[in-house]
Amino acid sequence: MHAHPAGPLHGGLQVPDGLPPRPEDVNAIDAQVWPAGAHRRDGVLVLGGAGVTDLAAQYGTPAYFLDEADFRGRSRDYQASFAGMDVFYAGKSFLSSQVVRWLDEDGLGLDVASGGELELALRSGFPPARIALHGNNKSVAELIRAVEAGVGRIIVDSLDEIARLAPIAAERGIVQPVQVRVTVGVEAHTHEFIATAHEDQKFGFSISGGAASRAVAAVLAESSLSLIGLHSHIGSQIFDMSGFGVAARRVVELLAEIRDTHGIELQEIDLGGGLGIAYTADDDPLRPQDVAESLRGIVEAECAAAALSSTPRISVEPGRAISGPPTITLYEVGTVKPVQLDKGTRLYVSVDGGMSDNIRTALYDAQYTCVLANRLSEVPAVAARIVGKHCESGDIVVRDLWLPGDVQPGDLLAVAATGAYCRAMASNYNLLTKPPVVAVKDGVGTVLMRRETLEDIFSLDVGLQPDHSSKEAQ
Ligand SMILES: *Cc1c(COP(=O)(O)O)cnc(C)c1O
């Protein structure tokens, strides 16, 4: 039997729509959602051995705090679980030079999806041979940089790109390894905006429409390109293996068709990323060991069915599954406003960041877990919404949650699992500066990315430079 959702004090009162069931303990730190080992010490949330009140005092808010041991544990877990296969971390989820060095140390590969991400990887000393370059509209400059640097694979995504890339490699006397990105017609069970393998979208070559076969032929016709395999990425925040099963079957069928048409058996398939993580207690992520075992089994069975002479090497590209869970965002509460609705009251809790440091709620309707982080409260939980300080009513960080009814200005709120696609998608909307990313280990913080300053932003505005008016007068 469940207690009344608004608690005994509110018996008979209504609750706004959309709220999850009231948690039994609104102060609880759910191990599934928070960084490994996170807990409360004297009421204060602790991650990586450091209390968030100390972290806030030292680094300010808003800020991202990354549990270093958890991040490295997850990347090593993927690397170990996928022994005999290749793991490429999807850099777009979160990238900094220190992250690049950790991945290098642990032997992972690295996916980049732009010239900027490629440059960061190269400047951080990542071995080019373990870099994969993605993108549906790579520029000539990006392709030249990748080819000259010796990037291990370029995942080609259009006939235009194949025609652009071949002469770039040829002129340099290089044979560039490439994979052809295909779409397999699977829509992963996820939010529409982040499903990428159904047919009506910009990525890849459709298998069913024959475009993939034509792209393969186009690559094979170029002596400066070496076709090493096929690539499929079916979406993000995926919680079951069935989509990967269908993708693997379609890709292996295409391998068999390529063997029959061209007399070659490609040696690699990349099944992309998209493994889901727990943003809330309702999410039940797959474990890397299970994913690895399952993928290997599926691909072996499909290859046997298609009578391929050997099983191709498999690679995967987890982004969020490595970078998401180890990081939290810490905010300070600024204003608290109860808003009376037809059905009960909603407590709007405004924090010192918002859609500029976490756009995912506004963009994808993403769900997050948030707790009062600087203290315990025994006051009954109320229906709340965490909002930012931007000039948009859609500036919501956590749409529907329960918070202790006495949350007040100056309190700290922590949002879990913000390591992926938050700092990476951060903006300067309303001229807010981007928060720092601080790695925490054994109770000690190390800044990975410092807080942006207004001077950083103003330095781009030519009219604000000290010598501007004098220059104009000349
Ligand atoms: C975004 C992306 C990934 C990573 O997705 P996650 O959901 O973060 O695991 C992997 N591969 C490709 C091609 C992508 O576009």
Side-chain angles (χ1 to χ4, degrees), residues 90 92-93 111 134 181 231 233 235-237 272-275 317-321 421:
K92 71 178 198 231
S93 67
D111 268 8
H134 281 273
R181 177 154 175 175
H231 182 286
H233 173 69
S236 281
Q237 200 49 0
L275 295 157
E317 304 174 318
R320 176 193 328 260
Y421 307 107

Side-chain angles (χ1 to χ4, degrees), residues 10-291:
H10 299 259
L13 282 186
Q14 284 185 302
V15 172
D17 292 332
L19 278 147
R22 186 184 186 208
E24 229 146 78
D25 176 6
V26 77
N27 296 302
I29 303 302
D30 185 341
Q32 166 118 322
V33 173
W34 294 89
H39 63 280
R40 286 189 190 266
R41 186 200 296 150
D42 301 328
V44 174
L45 176 66
V46 171
L47 106 153
V52 295
T53 44
D54 292 338
L55 292 172
Q58 193 171 354
Y59 300 102
T61 58
Y64 305 101
F65 293 103
L66 177 160
D67 183 321
E68 182 174 333
D70 193 22
F71 187 105
R72 303 209 62 179
R74 286 174 196 274
S75 66
R76 287 169 180 160
D77 190 14
Y78 265 93
Q79 183 68 353
S81 300
F82 284 77
M85 307 181 237
D86 296 308
V87 179
F88 288 79
Y89 169 76
K92 71 178 198 231
S93 67
F94 173 64
L95 210 54
S96 81
S97 58
Q98 188 58 59
V99 164
V100 173
R101 287 185 204 108
W102 290 338
L103 297 166
D104 184 15
E105 260 179 53
D106 292 338
L108 284 82
L110 178 58
D111 268 8
V112 296
S114 71
E117 292 177 9
L118 173 60
E119 213 52 51
L120 178 65
L122 294 172
R123 256 197 237 186
S124 308
F126 200 82
R130 297 214 310 270
I131 296 177
L133 176 62
H134 281 273
N136 66 301
N137 187 21
K138 306 174 190 80
S139 70
V140 168
E142 288 170 332
L143 291 172
I144 290 174
R145 181 73 173 116
V147 168
E148 291 186 342
V151 157
R153 55 183 61 175
I154 296 176
I155 291 75
V156 294
D157 200 10
S158 68
L159 294 176
D160 287 329
E161 182 185 349
I162 295 168
R164 228 171 257 156
L165 178 60
I168 290 171
E171 283 158 21
R172 289 160 180 79
I174 289 169
V175 176
Q176 175 62 47
V178 302
Q179 291 185 338
V180 168
R181 177 154 175 175
V182 302
T183 47
V184 297
V186 178
E187 189 164 347
H189 296 163
T190 184
H191 196 283
E192 187 192 358
F193 296 156
I194 42 181
T196 59
H198 56 107
E199 304 287 343
D200 189 7
Q201 44 106 358
K202 70 177 184 174
F203 290 110
F205 295 97
S206 157
I207 292 182
S208 61
S213 305
R214 290 193 288 279
V216 163
V219 171
L220 290 173
E222 300 288 354
S223 57
S224 62
L225 303 181
S226 155
L227 182 61
I228 61 168
L230 302 176
H231 182 286
S232 153
H233 173 69
I234 55 171
S236 281
Q237 200 49 0
I238 298 167
F239 291 102
D240 70 81
M241 291 300 299
S242 58
F244 290 107
V246 177
R249 179 167 330 120
R250 304 256 161 88
V251 168
V252 169
E253 282 166 5
L254 182 56
L255 289 180
E257 183 203 306
I258 293 167
R259 172 201 55 199
D260 298 342
T261 313
H262 302 284
I264 50 164
E265 279 192 23
L266 301 180
Q267 292 304 306
E268 294 189 36
I269 61 173
D270 188 317
L271 293 172
L275 295 157
I277 63 167
Y279 287 104
T280 74
D282 291 341
D283 296 328
D284 190 13
L286 296 160
R287 298 183 325 149
Q289 304 90 296
D290 297 339
V291 175

Side-chain angles (χ1 to χ4, degrees), residues 64 92-94 279 327 329 331 355-361 368 415-427 434-435:
Y64 305 101
K92 71 178 198 231
S93 67
F94 173 64
Y279 287 104
T327 295
T329 310
Y331 299 102
M355 63 193 298
S356 54
D357 60 71
N358 186 348
I359 190 67
R360 293 191 64 259
T361 304
Y368 283 94
V415 179
T418 56
Y421 307 107
C422 287
R423 180 59 178 79
M425 289 182 152
S427 77
K434 291 177 189 167

